[in-house]
Amino acid sequence: MELDIIKKEDPEVAKYIELELERQKNTIELIASENFTSKAVMAACGSVLTNKYAEGKPYKRFYNGCQNVDKIEELGVRRCCELFGCDHANLQPHSGAQANMAVFLYALNIGDTVMGMDLSNGGHLTHGSPVNFSGINYNIVSYGVNEEGVIDYDNVEKLALANKPKLIIAGASNYSRIIDFEKFSNIAKKVNAYLMVDIAHIAALVATGVHPSPVPYADFVTTTTHKTLRGPRGGIIMCKKEHAQGIDKAVFPGIQGGPLEHIIAAKAIALKEAMSSEFKQYAKQVVENSAYLASELINNGVDIVGGKSENHVMTLDLRKLGKTGKDVANLLEEVGITANKNTVPNDPQSPFVTSGVRIGTAATTTRGMKKEEMKEIASIIADAIFEKDSIENLKNRSYQLCKKFPLYEDM
């Protein structure tokens, strides 16, 4: 076992890996951007491929000895194009943020106008946050959601017509409704803008047809591989054929040096897994679980931004309860549930405190949990928030769910 090797070499690090494994096994994981990979994906991440330097694209490397990693990367690219129906894919970005950065480098000049979803309304740091490279280097126009927590496409169009952005970003890190990519495409065409869609959170749902695909409409589609897709931590850029050469150059040598070939191998494995009928059923169950969990939370007196979930994610709106996201996230951790504090639209609290908690169903669904378990999870969350049960009892209820759905049994 790999852990035995680490124990022998570095018992201090091994101790914390072991503790982390136990935490994952015994905790209900509701962080929407986390999941559990297969052992094959994990094994690839720790394989001898970590030893290989391979700057450049397959068969056009700056280093010798790349014949094997060339084949692996080529396989991963082919699988990505088949799975998502895209013209071209680049599997080298180290993260979703770097995938987005490469698109910016290729499509824009410093100071160009970009429209993206406001971070506090559900967007991502790389969609124009003032503390991020996107907000520092570009003129950002932000759109958000209406009072119902839903994107107002008419308002997005008005902003686009008034500001004439060169790039429009669709996609979110915290938005619970179906996104209409065709509407975004039509808006982009009206102002002659590129359309980039960030599907980091919904990649698996898009790949399996559970969520509409942006590929027919977008110039660029970016994603991470470690959320719903159940792959390693990394990014992918998909694009139309005419942008392929420019995107590849933007990744290398534009923003990165050598690619992580061990991670690319793990991406290739995850993409193969995503082609299976079992994975399609998994993605469908993720959405069913999320919709049911949201409805059960509402039934238990907890507001949800947007009123429901149509994908894998939702945000508890705690404003009416007079509680903060920071306090509730900490409370949930005490009772064996991991989530994260998150802003809500027009949040009166700071981003370090927040009035919301973001939760998702990707990881619990991987463990095999279904609607019955979602009902119990909603009850545990509500009982914790409204102090209807003791911390000890709530923690035991969470633990019993984890025990019923074991994780990595032989590790």
Side-chain angles (χ1 to χ4, degrees), residues 206-262:
V206 168
T208 55
V210 178
H211 188 291
S213 172
V215 170
Y217 306 108
D219 295 287
F220 319 100
V221 176
T222 62
T223 185
T224 54
T225 48
H226 53 273
K227 298 183 177 83
T228 53
L229 205 53
R230 288 202 307 213
R233 303 195 69 82
I236 292 174
I237 304 172
M238 293 167 266
C239 65
K240 295 191 182 300
K241 199 175 296 181
E242 60 263 34
H243 303 304
Q245 188 176 3
I247 284 294
D248 288 348
K249 285 182 178 178
V251 175
F252 172 82
I255 64 165
Q256 293 183 177
L260 310 177
E261 291 297 338
H262 56 308

Side-chain angles (χ1 to χ4, degrees), residues 5 122 169 174 180 195 204 234 237 327 335 352 354 376 392:
I5 296 169
I169 305 172
N174 189 28
D180 192 327
L195 176 62
I237 304 172
D327 287 343
V335 303
F352 300 100
T354 80
E376 171 65 354
E392 188 179 343

